[in-house]
Amino acid sequence: MERDMEYIQLFMEYESDDMPVVYFYEVDLKDDRFALRAIEVFIDREVKRYEDLYSDVIEACPIPTVDEFNAKVWGEGFWATMISKEKFDEIWNTGIYNESLTVT
C-alpha cells in the first residue's frame, strides 16, 4: 500500500553561506506530517540529502503546511510551494539543483 505523500519546496531568505536557502521535504501525510527525506541547497548550490532528518534532534517536529509557511506562522523569510514527486526525486537522485535560489 502506497503512502500519502506531499512534496514541498521551501525558500528561505539568505542569512549566511552556511545556511541553506532552499529546502525540499518529502512529507508523510499518514505519519503526522513528518519528513521521510529532506534536501538542503546552499548559496553555492551544494546539495545535502537527508534520509533521516530527525537523527540528531532532541525533539522531532512535523513539517508545516505550505499555507502555514506562506502565512508566516513560522516566521518571516519563508515561501513554500508544492512540487511533484518527480521533481523531488530528480534532485534527490542527481544531487544537482540548477533552478532559482530565491522566490522569483
Side-chain angles (χ1 to χ4, degrees):
M1 180 177 215
E2 189 171 319
R3 300 178 190 217
D4 289 326
M5 305 299 284
E6 184 175 278
Y7 296 86
I8 296 175
Q9 180 175 13
L10 175 67
F11 293 92
M12 189 173 122
E13 287 182 5
Y14 175 82
E15 290 184 18
S16 68
D17 289 351
D18 61 342
M19 294 289 298
V21 291
V22 183
Y23 297 80
F24 294 90
Y25 297 109
E26 179 181 56
V27 179
D28 188 342
L29 300 177
K30 291 192 175 193
D31 188 21
D32 297 323
R33 299 194 58 80
F34 284 94
L36 293 179
R37 298 182 292 169
I39 302 167
E40 296 177 343
V41 181
F42 294 81
I43 198 73
D44 66 357
R45 297 196 175 274
E46 176 187 6
V47 173
K48 290 188 179 179
R49 295 170 279 193
Y50 298 92
E51 288 189 69
D52 185 357
L53 183 62
Y54 308 106
S55 66
D56 294 328
V57 300
I58 295 171
E59 182 178 354
C61 297
I63 303 300
T65 66
V66 166
D67 289 341
E68 289 172 330
F69 278 124
N70 293 340
K72 309 305 179 198
V73 171
W74 294 94
E76 298 293 322
F78 294 107
W79 187 82
T81 188
M82 301 286 286
I83 61 167
S84 68
K85 177 185 186 327
E86 291 76 20
K87 181 174 180 176
F88 182 96
D89 284 341
E90 179 182 337
I91 298 162
W92 180 266
N93 291 330
T94 65
I96 298 169
Y97 178 74
N98 287 323
E99 295 180 29
S100 179
L101 296 172
T102 61
V103 176
T104 53

